[in-house]
C-alpha cells in the first residue's frame, strides 16, 4: 500500500515538473527561418520607429496636447511594449535550433500578452468615447474630457487588464503538464497551453468563456455604441463638407479597430478545442502587424500629425 502510494506521488511530482516548452514557430522548414527573421526584424524596427516618432511628435508640438493625441501617445507606447513581448523571442527562435522557452518565461510572456493586448483594447474604446464626445457633445467637450478625467481613463485602461491577465496566469499555473511540452504556436498563448494540460481545465475554460469574453467584448461594445451615436449625429449635419469633416476625425480609428478586433475575435471567440495552426495568421495580425501599421494609419490620414512631424524634422535640421 505504501509502495503504491509512493509511486503515485513520484508520478505526480514528475508530471508537475515542466521546466520548459518548445515553440514550434511559424514554419518547421530550416530554409524559411532566415527570411522570417529578416521579415520580422524589419517589422519590429518599423514598429519601434513609427510608434516612437508618434510619441515624439505629440510631445514636441503644443498644438497636439489634446485628449485625442494624449490617448494616441499611450496607444503607441503600449504597442511598443506589446510587440516587444513577442517579437524578440521569435527572432531568437528563428536563428536557434533549440526553440525553447522556460516555464516561467512562457507564463510571463502570456501575462504581458494579455495585459498589454487588453490595454490596447481599452485605449481604443477610450479613443472612441473621445470622438463621441467631440462630435455629439462639442460644447461640453473641454469640461467632459478634462486632463484629470483623461489621466483616470488611461490609468484604468493600463491597470485593469493586468488583473484580468493575472487571473488567467494564476489559473494556468495550477494546471499539470505531463503529455507534451510542444506548443504549436510562435508564442505562449492560453488556448494552446490549455490543450497541453493533462489535468482538468474545466475552471480555466469556464473563466475564459465568462470573464474572458466579458473583458474582450465590453470595450468593443463601447466602441460600437460610440460610433452608432456618432453616425446618427453626423447624418443630421446638413452640409456634405460638415459630414466629411466629422467622419475624417474617425476614419483612422475605425481602420485600426477593424484590423485589431477582426483578427482578435477570429482567434478568441471560439472554443479552446477548435484552436488550430490556421489561427497563427490572425494572431500575427493583432499582435505584430496592427502595432506596426497604427502609426502609418494615424499619420497618413491626419493633417495635424503631418504638420507636427514637419515641425519636428525642421527643428532637428536647424
Amino acid at each position: 500500500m505504501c509502495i503504491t502510494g509512493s509511486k503515485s506521488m513520484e508520478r505526480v511530482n514528475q508530471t508537475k515538473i515542466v521546466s520548459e516548452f518548445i515553440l514550434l514557430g511559424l514554419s518547421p522548414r530550416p530554409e524559411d527561418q532566415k527570411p522570417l527573421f529578416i521579415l520580422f526584424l524589419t517589422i519590429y524596427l518599423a514598429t519601434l520607429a513609427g510608434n516612437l516618432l508618434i510619441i515624439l511628435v505629440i510631445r514636441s508640438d503644443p498644438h497636439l496636447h489634446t485628449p485625442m493625441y494624449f490617448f494616441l501617445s499611450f496607444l503607441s507606447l503600449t504597442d511598443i511594449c506589446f510587440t516587444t513581448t513577442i517579437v524578440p523571442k521569435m527572432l531568437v527562435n528563428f536563428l536557434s535550433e533549440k526553440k525553447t522557452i522556460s516555464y516561467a518565461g512562457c507564463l510571463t510572456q502570456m501575462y504581458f500578452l494579455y495585459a498589454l493586448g487588453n490595454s490596447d483594447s481599452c485605449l481604443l474604446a477610450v479613443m472612441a468615447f473621445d470622438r463621441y464626445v467631440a462630435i455629439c457633445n462639442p460644447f461640453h467637450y473641454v469640461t467632459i474630457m478634462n486632463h484629470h478625467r483623461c489621466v483616470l481613463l488611461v490609468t484604468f485602461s493600463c491597470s485593469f487588464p493586468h488583473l484580468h491577465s493575472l487571473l488567467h496566469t494564476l489559473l494556468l499555473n495550477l494546471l499539470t503538464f505531463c503529455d507534451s511540452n510542444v506548443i504549436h504556436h510562435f508564442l505562449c498563448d492560453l488556448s494552446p497551453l490549455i490543450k497541453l494540460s493533462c489535468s482538468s481545465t474545466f475552471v480555466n475554460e469556464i473563466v475564459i468563456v465568462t470573464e474572458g469574453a466579458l473583458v474582450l467584448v465590453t470595450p468593443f461594445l463601447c466602441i460600437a455604441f460610440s460610433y452608432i451615436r456618432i453616425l446618427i449625429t453626423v447624418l443630421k449635419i446638413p452640409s456634405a463638407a460638415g459630414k466629411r469633416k466629422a467622419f475624417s476625425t474617425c476614419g483612422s480609428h475605425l481602420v485600426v479597430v477593424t484590423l485589431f478586433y477582426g483578427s482578435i475575435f477570429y482567434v478568441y471567440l471560439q472554443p479552446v478545442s477548435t484552436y488550430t495552426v490556421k489561427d497563427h495568421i490572425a494572431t500575427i495580425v493583432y499582435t505584430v502587424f496592427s502595432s506596426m501599421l497604427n502609426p502609418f494609419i494615424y499619420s497618413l490620414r491626419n493633417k495635424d500629425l503631418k504638420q507636427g512631424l514637419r515641425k519636428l524634422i525642421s527643428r532637428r535640421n536647424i
Side-chain angles (χ1 to χ4, degrees), residues 243-252 301:
K243 290 179 181 178
R244 280 196 300 271
K245 184 179 179 181
F247 279 129
S248 67
T249 65
C250 306
S252 300
R301 297 177 59 88

Side-chain angles (χ1 to χ4, degrees), residues 78-106:
T78 305
D79 281 340
I80 290 171
C81 298
F82 190 34
T83 310
T84 301
T85 301
I86 301 159
V87 178
K89 184 58 182 175
M90 289 177 68
L91 296 176
V92 170
N93 285 349
F94 285 141
L95 301 181
S96 174
E97 290 184 8
K98 192 179 180 184
K99 303 177 188 299
T100 59
I101 184 170
S102 68
Y103 180 87
C106 191

